[in-house]
Amino acid sequence: DSEQQNPCISVPAEDKAQCEQMNVWLDQKLVEWKPKEYKPMEFGAYHVQASDGIFVKSNAETDDKMLDVLLETNANIIVLYVRTGSYFSQKERYDQLINKIRISGKKLFIGARFDDIKMNFDDYDKALNDYTKNIIAELKPDYYGIVLEPTTMETKYGFDATDEQWAELSERIAKLSKQLSPATKTVNDGHKGELNFLQLSSDLASIDIIAFNIYDSNGIYPKYSGYLGKGDLVGN
């Protein structure tokens, strides 16, 4: 009970001041962001060992152990960032893991990922189109992360694209996804340096969910002034 009242009680001494400061900030946000009415919220847990480039360095035993850990959290959704090459090279392993996720009663979030090779925007467009036809059409996840941090993808793969290009691509892919897997919810996400892309995404009819990747408190309080601009940019 004491730890629930003060989550910083067991934090190491050198980190306690920072923990207390963040806890006060969070308490303020619970008041500021209090909704008019409460609705059920789903929590997702990221299976990092079976995602992206780590998957090929891991194994099926680790998949199961990590899934057991995530299931203990009572999360509603298990998140996998699946690369096309990894899926088809170890399809049986992935299918077994995904089957266990579904048997457990959890929902499945698949985020699009590709191998670490340089490509231009047209290449990325084609890769995402193929991904939707080959991965999403087969797995039919509950959620499909289509464009996840566009500028991060640009840096990773070595090209530049406008927010408008990313928005057009994600809308087209979302429509394709809905044809191939009608029950799958489509998702775009971005960090606080990508607010314009997220704003554009909010106007796309085929995108069901907009997600914010918030890594720190910059740009989410009224008195903020910094590289993002001024004020509560995320709130606005």
Side-chain angles (χ1 to χ4, degrees):
D1 290 343
S2 61
E3 189 163 347
Q4 287 183 336
Q5 295 173 4
N6 181 9
C8 301
I9 194 169
S10 60
V11 171
E14 62 270 22
D15 298 319
K16 193 173 291 290
Q18 182 180 357
C19 180
E20 296 284 4
Q21 181 183 14
M22 184 59 68
N23 196 45
V24 168
W25 181 85
L26 287 170
D27 284 343
Q28 292 172 344
K29 290 303 174 187
L30 286 173
V31 175
E32 292 175 23
W33 292 347
K34 183 178 180 180
K36 293 180 180 179
E37 60 178 314
Y38 289 98
K39 298 179 181 180
M41 179 180 291
E42 292 185 325
F43 288 85
Y46 176 33
H47 196 314
V48 63
Q49 301 295 338
S51 292
D52 224 335
I54 299 179
F55 177 79
V56 295
K57 302 175 183 177
S58 187
N59 54 58
E61 182 182 1
T62 304
D63 293 345
D64 290 344
K65 289 180 178 179
M66 185 67 181
L67 180 59
D68 287 341
V69 170
L70 299 183
L71 294 179
E72 287 182 9
T73 70
N74 287 324
N76 312 96
I77 305 165
I78 304 299
V79 180
L80 299 175
Y81 283 1
V82 179
R83 293 188 179 190
T84 308
S86 296
Y87 180 73
F88 287 109
S89 66
Q90 298 191 55
K91 186 176 184 301
E92 183 178 356
R93 176 183 158 197
Y94 252 133
D95 286 347
Q96 287 178 351
L97 174 61
I98 290 169
N99 188 50
K100 289 175 182 176
I101 291 171
R102 286 178 162 144
I103 289 174
S104 73
K106 305 304 180 183
K107 294 181 179 180
L108 176 65
F109 181 112
I110 297 290
R113 282 292 188 267
F114 309 106
D115 293 336
D116 294 327
I117 57 174
K118 294 299 180 183
M119 62 175 84
N120 59 35
F121 186 72
D122 289 339
D123 295 331
Y124 195 94
D125 185 322
K126 183 180 185 307
L128 194 55
N129 188 75
D130 291 344
Y131 189 96
T132 308
K133 291 179 178 178
N134 295 320
I135 303 292
I136 301 305
E138 175 158 340
L139 296 180
K140 292 181 168 52
D142 299 282
Y143 302 98
Y144 175 22
I146 297 175
V147 174
L148 308 177
E149 294 195 0
T151 60
T152 302
M153 296 302 101
E154 291 175 21
T155 300
K156 182 175 183 178
Y157 294 109
F159 63 82
D160 292 313
T162 66
D163 292 333
E164 289 74 15
Q165 285 177 301
W166 280 112
E168 189 278 330
L169 171 60
S170 59
E171 173 74 350
R172 183 160 30 84
I173 295 298
K175 288 180 179 178
L176 176 62
S177 174
K178 290 180 180 299
Q179 291 173 7
L180 300 171
S181 180
T184 297
K185 297 291 186 181
T186 54
V187 184
N188 274 357
D189 84 8
H191 56 61
K192 290 178 294 183
E194 300 169 334
L195 294 179
N196 184 59
F197 165 71
L198 295 176
Q199 184 67 57
L200 291 173
S201 295
S202 70
D203 293 327
L204 301 178
S206 295
I207 296 294
D208 299 307
I209 298 168
I210 307 298
F212 285 79
N213 295 342
I214 297 177
Y215 299 112
D216 55 38
S217 59
N218 290 329
I220 53 177
Y221 56 91
K223 295 182 180 180
Y224 170 78
S225 179
Y227 74 99
L228 293 170
K230 292 185 177 181
D232 181 6
L233 300 166
V234 173
N236 292 336

